[in-house]
Amino acid sequence: YWCAPREGKGCGRLAVDQRFADAVVTEATLARLSDPRYADRLAAAETATREARARIAEEVATLEADGRTLAGKVATRGLEWVEAAMAPIDARLETLRADLAALEAPDSPEVDPEVAGLEWAAAETPAQRRMVARAFPDGITVDPSTSRGVGARHDRARFRW
């Protein structure tokens, strides 16, 4: 943190040194992505998510096919019958689509723990952001430094993840 002095008011406001914060986040991200234990847990979670998404997508496809079949029966059964038969299908489709939306597809780049640093260095900012999000899905918080006043130091910032 750096002091932004204001005339007659002491330190005034504090600001985070972005370079320091970026360096801390980079180091923490690379440490986490390079940890084989974390990579294994992350891979298992992403596999479970992909499998759940596939199961839901399969059920959605089946229900949509059933709906198309029912729609073809309007002439023989009547619109009222088809609408009544479609109501539970439509309700289930709505639930499944909400479940599918809640299961975010992994969109972050796969990072080999052995080469995380190289991939970070080669990545553009959006890819680096996705790598940070992958390493810290709950985000990173920068808390104010515990030191105040003249001599407040940027290296005393606290990061939570």
Side-chain angles (χ1 to χ4, degrees):
Y1 284 81
W2 297 101
C3 173
R6 294 172 62 182
E7 192 173 317
K9 296 191 180 192
C11 193
R13 297 178 180 211
L14 293 178
V16 174
D17 181 346
Q18 180 184 344
R19 294 166 299 192
F20 172 72
D22 285 349
V24 170
V25 169
T26 297
E27 183 179 333
T29 299
L30 293 177
R32 182 162 286 182
L33 292 178
S34 297
D35 182 348
R37 294 168 301 177
Y38 181 76
D40 290 345
R41 285 192 309 267
L42 188 59
E46 287 177 351
T47 297
T49 299
R50 272 193 215 80
E51 290 171 355
R53 288 181 62 82
R55 282 191 304 274
I56 292 171
E58 183 178 332
E59 187 175 351
V60 165
T62 299
L63 289 172
E64 286 175 343
D66 290 348
R68 284 189 296 276
T69 300
L70 284 172
K73 300 198 181 273
V74 170
T76 58
R77 296 283 192 143
L79 181 60
E80 192 173 305
W81 183 88
V82 171
E83 286 177 344
M86 284 297 298
I89 292 174
D90 287 338
R92 181 67 180 147
L93 281 170
E94 186 176 331
T95 300
L96 289 171
R97 289 184 178 125
D99 291 348
L100 195 58
L103 286 173
E104 293 184 22
D107 67 346
S108 58
E110 292 291 328
V111 179
D112 181 349
E114 301 291 323
V115 294
L118 295 174
E119 292 186 31
W120 178 271
E124 297 289 328
T125 300
Q128 288 177 338
R129 287 181 181 147
R130 287 191 303 273
M131 290 169 74
V132 171
R134 184 170 197 244
F136 301 102
D138 295 328
I140 297 176
T141 302
V142 182
D143 288 329
S145 171
T146 55
S147 96
R148 295 279 189 256
V150 176
R153 294 178 35 173
H154 70 283
D155 60 349
R156 292 190 182 150
R158 296 174 295 149
F159 294 80
R160 287 185 290 133
W161 41 72

mmCIF file with all atom_site columns, all heavy atoms in Angstrom, residues 89-102:
data_model
loop_
_atom_site.group_PDB
_atom_site.id
_atom_site.type_symbol
_atom_site.label_atom_id
_atom_site.label_alt_id
_atom_site.label_comp_id
_atom_site.label_asym_id
_atom_site.label_entity_id
_atom_site.label_seq_id
_atom_site.pdbx_PDB_ins_code
_atom_site.Cartn_x
_atom_site.Cartn_y
_atom_site.Cartn_z
_atom_site.occupancy
_atom_site.B_iso_or_equiv
_atom_site.pdbx_formal_charge
_atom_site.auth_seq_id
_atom_site.auth_comp_id
_atom_site.auth_asym_id
_atom_site.auth_atom_id
_atom_site.pdbx_PDB_model_num
ATOM 1   N N   . ILE A 1 89  ? -43.507 -32.351 -19.166 1.00 0.00 ? 89  ILE A N   1
ATOM 2   C CA  . ILE A 1 89  ? -42.260 -32.366 -19.948 1.00 0.00 ? 89  ILE A CA  1
ATOM 3   C C   . ILE A 1 89  ? -41.646 -30.973 -19.950 1.00 0.00 ? 89  ILE A C   1
ATOM 4   O O   . ILE A 1 89  ? -40.441 -30.817 -19.721 1.00 0.00 ? 89  ILE A O   1
ATOM 5   C CB  . ILE A 1 89  ? -42.524 -32.870 -21.385 1.00 0.00 ? 89  ILE A CB  1
ATOM 6   C CG1 . ILE A 1 89  ? -42.889 -34.352 -21.358 1.00 0.00 ? 89  ILE A CG1 1
ATOM 7   C CG2 . ILE A 1 89  ? -41.318 -32.613 -22.285 1.00 0.00 ? 89  ILE A CG2 1
ATOM 8   C CD1 . ILE A 1 89  ? -43.304 -34.927 -22.689 1.00 0.00 ? 89  ILE A CD1 1
ATOM 9   N N   . ASP A 1 90  ? -42.473 -29.952 -20.172 1.00 0.00 ? 90  ASP A N   1
ATOM 10  C CA  . ASP A 1 90  ? -41.965 -28.577 -20.169 1.00 0.00 ? 90  ASP A CA  1
ATOM 11  C C   . ASP A 1 90  ? -41.404 -28.189 -18.798 1.00 0.00 ? 90  ASP A C   1
ATOM 12  O O   . ASP A 1 90  ? -40.359 -27.539 -18.709 1.00 0.00 ? 90  ASP A O   1
ATOM 13  C CB  . ASP A 1 90  ? -43.068 -27.592 -20.579 1.00 0.00 ? 90  ASP A CB  1
ATOM 14  C CG  . ASP A 1 90  ? -43.375 -27.668 -22.065 1.00 0.00 ? 90  ASP A CG  1
ATOM 15  O OD1 . ASP A 1 90  ? -42.509 -28.133 -22.835 1.00 0.00 ? 90  ASP A OD1 1
ATOM 16  O OD2 . ASP A 1 90  ? -44.487 -27.251 -22.463 1.00 0.00 ? 90  ASP A OD2 1
ATOM 17  N N   . ALA A 1 91  ? -42.090 -28.608 -17.733 1.00 0.00 ? 91  ALA A N   1
ATOM 18  C CA  . ALA A 1 91  ? -41.616 -28.296 -16.380 1.00 0.00 ? 91  ALA A CA  1
ATOM 19  C C   . ALA A 1 91  ? -40.261 -28.964 -16.126 1.00 0.00 ? 91  ALA A C   1
ATOM 20  O O   . ALA A 1 91  ? -39.346 -28.346 -15.565 1.00 0.00 ? 91  ALA A O   1
ATOM 21  C CB  . ALA A 1 91  ? -42.634 -28.753 -15.341 1.00 0.00 ? 91  ALA A CB  1
ATOM 22  N N   . ARG A 1 92  ? -40.138 -30.212 -16.530 1.00 0.00 ? 92  ARG A N   1
ATOM 23  C CA  . ARG A 1 92  ? -38.866 -30.922 -16.327 1.00 0.00 ? 92  ARG A CA  1
ATOM 24  C C   . ARG A 1 92  ? -37.762 -30.298 -17.179 1.00 0.00 ? 92  ARG A C   1
ATOM 25  O O   . ARG A 1 92  ? -36.623 -30.162 -16.719 1.00 0.00 ? 92  ARG A O   1
ATOM 26  C CB  . ARG A 1 92  ? -39.037 -32.413 -16.672 1.00 0.00 ? 92  ARG A CB  1
ATOM 27  C CG  . ARG A 1 92  ? -37.798 -33.243 -16.488 1.00 0.00 ? 92  ARG A CG  1
ATOM 28  C CD  . ARG A 1 92  ? -37.423 -33.355 -15.034 1.00 0.00 ? 92  ARG A CD  1
ATOM 29  N NE  . ARG A 1 92  ? -36.218 -34.164 -14.918 1.00 0.00 ? 92  ARG A NE  1
ATOM 30  C CZ  . ARG A 1 92  ? -35.288 -33.978 -14.004 1.00 0.00 ? 92  ARG A CZ  1
ATOM 31  N NH1 . ARG A 1 92  ? -35.431 -33.046 -13.088 1.00 0.00 ? 92  ARG A NH1 1
ATOM 32  N NH2 . ARG A 1 92  ? -34.229 -34.734 -13.977 1.00 0.00 ? 92  ARG A NH2 1
ATOM 33  N N   . LEU A 1 93  ? -38.077 -29.914 -18.402 1.00 0.00 ? 93  LEU A N   1
ATOM 34  C CA  . LEU A 1 93  ? -37.079 -29.261 -19.254 1.00 0.00 ? 93  LEU A CA  1
ATOM 35  C C   . LEU A 1 93  ? -36.590 -27.953 -18.628 1.00 0.00 ? 93  LEU A C   1
ATOM 36  O O   . LEU A 1 93  ? -35.397 -27.649 -18.657 1.00 0.00 ? 93  LEU A O   1
ATOM 37  C CB  . LEU A 1 93  ? -37.654 -28.989 -20.649 1.00 0.00 ? 93  LEU A CB  1
ATOM 38  C CG  . LEU A 1 93  ? -37.700 -30.186 -21.599 1.00 0.00 ? 93  LEU A CG  1
ATOM 39  C CD1 . LEU A 1 93  ? -38.507 -29.842 -22.841 1.00 0.00 ? 93  LEU A CD1 1
ATOM 40  C CD2 . LEU A 1 93  ? -36.299 -30.627 -21.969 1.00 0.00 ? 93  LEU A CD2 1
ATOM 41  N N   . GLU A 1 94  ? -37.500 -27.199 -18.051 1.00 0.00 ? 94  GLU A N   1
ATOM 42  C CA  . GLU A 1 94  ? -37.112 -25.940 -17.409 1.00 0.00 ? 94  GLU A CA  1
ATOM 43  C C   . GLU A 1 94  ? -36.153 -26.209 -16.243 1.00 0.00 ? 94  GLU A C   1
ATOM 44  O O   . GLU A 1 94  ? -35.140 -25.525 -16.093 1.00 0.00 ? 94  GLU A O   1
ATOM 45  C CB  . GLU A 1 94  ? -38.366 -25.208 -16.915 1.00 0.00 ? 94  GLU A CB  1
ATOM 46  C CG  . GLU A 1 94  ? -38.080 -23.830 -16.362 1.00 0.00 ? 94  GLU A CG  1
ATOM 47  C CD  . GLU A 1 94  ? -39.354 -23.096 -15.971 1.00 0.00 ? 94  GLU A CD  1
ATOM 48  O OE1 . GLU A 1 94  ? -40.408 -23.341 -16.569 1.00 0.00 ? 94  GLU A OE1 1
ATOM 49  O OE2 . GLU A 1 94  ? -39.261 -22.264 -15.051 1.00 0.00 ? 94  GLU A OE2 1
ATOM 50  N N   . THR A 1 95  ? -36.462 -27.222 -15.445 1.00 0.00 ? 95  THR A N   1
ATOM 51  C CA  . THR A 1 95  ? -35.595 -27.582 -14.316 1.00 0.00 ? 95  THR A CA  1
ATOM 52  C C   . THR A 1 95  ? -34.226 -28.035 -14.812 1.00 0.00 ? 95  THR A C   1
ATOM 53  O O   . THR A 1 95  ? -33.191 -27.618 -14.281 1.00 0.00 ? 95  THR A O   1
ATOM 54  C CB  . THR A 1 95  ? -36.245 -28.707 -13.479 1.00 0.00 ? 95  THR A CB  1
ATOM 55  O OG1 . THR A 1 95  ? -37.492 -28.234 -12.983 1.00 0.00 ? 95  THR A OG1 1
ATOM 56  C CG2 . THR A 1 95  ? -35.361 -29.131 -12.326 1.00 0.00 ? 95  THR A CG2 1
ATOM 57  N N   . LEU A 1 96  ? -34.214 -28.880 -15.825 1.00 0.00 ? 96  LEU A N   1
ATOM 58  C CA  . LEU A 1 96  ? -32.949 -29.398 -16.350 1.00 0.00 ? 96  LEU A CA  1
ATOM 59  C C   . LEU A 1 96  ? -32.093 -28.287 -16.947 1.00 0.00 ? 96  LEU A C   1
ATOM 60  O O   . LEU A 1 96  ? -30.873 -28.263 -16.756 1.00 0.00 ? 96  LEU A O   1
ATOM 61  C CB  . LEU A 1 96  ? -33.208 -30.481 -17.407 1.00 0.00 ? 96  LEU A CB  1
ATOM 62  C CG  . LEU A 1 96  ? -33.737 -31.806 -16.872 1.00 0.00 ? 96  LEU A CG  1
ATOM 63  C CD1 . LEU A 1 96  ? -34.149 -32.708 -18.024 1.00 0.00 ? 96  LEU A CD1 1
ATOM 64  C CD2 . LEU A 1 96  ? -32.701 -32.489 -15.992 1.00 0.00 ? 96  LEU A CD2 1
ATOM 65  N N   . ARG A 1 97  ? -32.720 -27.364 -17.653 1.00 0.00 ? 97  ARG A N   1
ATOM 66  C CA  . ARG A 1 97  ? -31.954 -26.256 -18.245 1.00 0.00 ? 97  ARG A CA  1
ATOM 67  C C   . ARG A 1 97  ? -31.368 -25.358 -17.160 1.00 0.00 ? 97  ARG A C   1
ATOM 68  O O   . ARG A 1 97  ? -30.257 -24.852 -17.305 1.00 0.00 ? 97  ARG A O   1
ATOM 69  C CB  . ARG A 1 97  ? -32.822 -25.483 -19.223 1.00 0.00 ? 97  ARG A CB  1
ATOM 70  C CG  . ARG A 1 97  ? -33.083 -26.293 -20.493 1.00 0.00 ? 97  ARG A CG  1
ATOM 71  C CD  . ARG A 1 97  ? -33.866 -25.518 -21.532 1.00 0.00 ? 97  ARG A CD  1
ATOM 72  N NE  . ARG A 1 97  ? -34.032 -26.339 -22.728 1.00 0.00 ? 97  ARG A NE  1
ATOM 73  C CZ  . ARG A 1 97  ? -35.197 -26.620 -23.284 1.00 0.00 ? 97  ARG A CZ  1
ATOM 74  N NH1 . ARG A 1 97  ? -36.311 -26.127 -22.785 1.00 0.00 ? 97  ARG A NH1 1
ATOM 75  N NH2 . ARG A 1 97  ? -35.246 -27.364 -24.361 1.00 0.00 ? 97  ARG A NH2 1
ATOM 76  N N   . ALA A 1 98  ? -32.096 -25.166 -16.079 1.00 0.00 ? 98  ALA A N   1
ATOM 77  C CA  . ALA A 1 98  ? -31.564 -24.387 -14.953 1.00 0.00 ? 98  ALA A CA  1
ATOM 78  C C   . ALA A 1 98  ? -30.392 -25.130 -14.310 1.00 0.00 ? 98  ALA A C   1
ATOM 79  O O   . ALA A 1 98  ? -29.366 -24.525 -13.967 1.00 0.00 ? 98  ALA A O   1
ATOM 80  C CB  . ALA A 1 98  ? -32.648 -24.117 -13.925 1.00 0.00 ? 98  ALA A CB  1
ATOM 81  N N   . ASP A 1 99  ? -30.541 -26.447 -14.152 1.00 0.00 ? 99  ASP A N   1
ATOM 82  C CA  . ASP A 1 99  ? -29.439 -27.256 -13.589 1.00 0.00 ? 99  ASP A CA  1
ATOM 83  C C   . ASP A 1 99  ? -28.206 -27.187 -14.484 1.00 0.00 ? 99  ASP A C   1
ATOM 84  O O   . ASP A 1 99  ? -27.081 -27.072 -13.998 1.00 0.00 ? 99  ASP A O   1
ATOM 85  C CB  . ASP A 1 99  ? -29.869 -28.721 -13.433 1.00 0.00 ? 99  ASP A CB  1
ATOM 86  C CG  . ASP A 1 99  ? -30.909 -28.925 -12.346 1.00 0.00 ? 99  ASP A CG  1
ATOM 87  O OD1 . ASP A 1 99  ? -31.146 -27.980 -11.552 1.00 0.00 ? 99  ASP A OD1 1
ATOM 88  O OD2 . ASP A 1 99  ? -31.510 -30.022 -12.305 1.00 0.00 ? 99  ASP A OD2 1
ATOM 89  N N   . LEU A 1 100 ? -28.434 -27.253 -15.782 1.00 0.00 ? 100 LEU A N   1
ATOM 90  C CA  . LEU A 1 100 ? -27.335 -27.198 -16.737 1.00 0.00 ? 100 LEU A CA  1
ATOM 91  C C   . LEU A 1 100 ? -26.628 -25.843 -16.678 1.00 0.00 ? 100 LEU A C   1
ATOM 92  O O   . LEU A 1 100 ? -25.398 -25.774 -16.703 1.00 0.00 ? 100 LEU A O   1
ATOM 93  C CB  . LEU A 1 100 ? -27.865 -27.465 -18.151 1.00 0.00 ? 100 LEU A CB  1
ATOM 94  C CG  . LEU A 1 100 ? -26.857 -27.800 -19.232 1.00 0.00 ? 100 LEU A CG  1
ATOM 95  C CD1 . LEU A 1 100 ? -26.030 -29.025 -18.866 1.00 0.00 ? 100 LEU A CD1 1
ATOM 96  C CD2 . LEU A 1 100 ? -27.573 -28.032 -20.549 1.00 0.00 ? 100 LEU A CD2 1
ATOM 97  N N   . ALA A 1 101 ? -27.396 -24.784 -16.556 1.00 0.00 ? 101 ALA A N   1
ATOM 98  C CA  . ALA A 1 101 ? -26.802 -23.449 -16.464 1.00 0.00 ? 101 ALA A CA  1
ATOM 99  C C   . ALA A 1 101 ? -25.998 -23.296 -15.171 1.00 0.00 ? 101 ALA A C   1
ATOM 100 O O   . ALA A 1 101 ? -24.982 -22.604 -15.143 1.00 0.00 ? 101 ALA A O   1
ATOM 101 C CB  . ALA A 1 101 ? -27.885 -22.384 -16.540 1.00 0.00 ? 101 ALA A CB  1
ATOM 102 N N   . ALA A 1 102 ? -26.455 -23.953 -14.095 1.00 0.00 ? 102 ALA A N   1
ATOM 103 C CA  . ALA A 1 102 ? -25.751 -23.859 -12.813 1.00 0.00 ? 102 ALA A CA  1
ATOM 104 C C   . ALA A 1 102 ? -24.434 -24.627 -12.832 1.00 0.00 ? 102 ALA A C   1
ATOM 105 O O   . ALA A 1 102 ? -23.505 -24.287 -12.099 1.00 0.00 ? 102 ALA A O   1
ATOM 106 C CB  . ALA A 1 102 ? -26.637 -24.378 -11.688 1.00 0.00 ? 102 ALA A CB  1
#
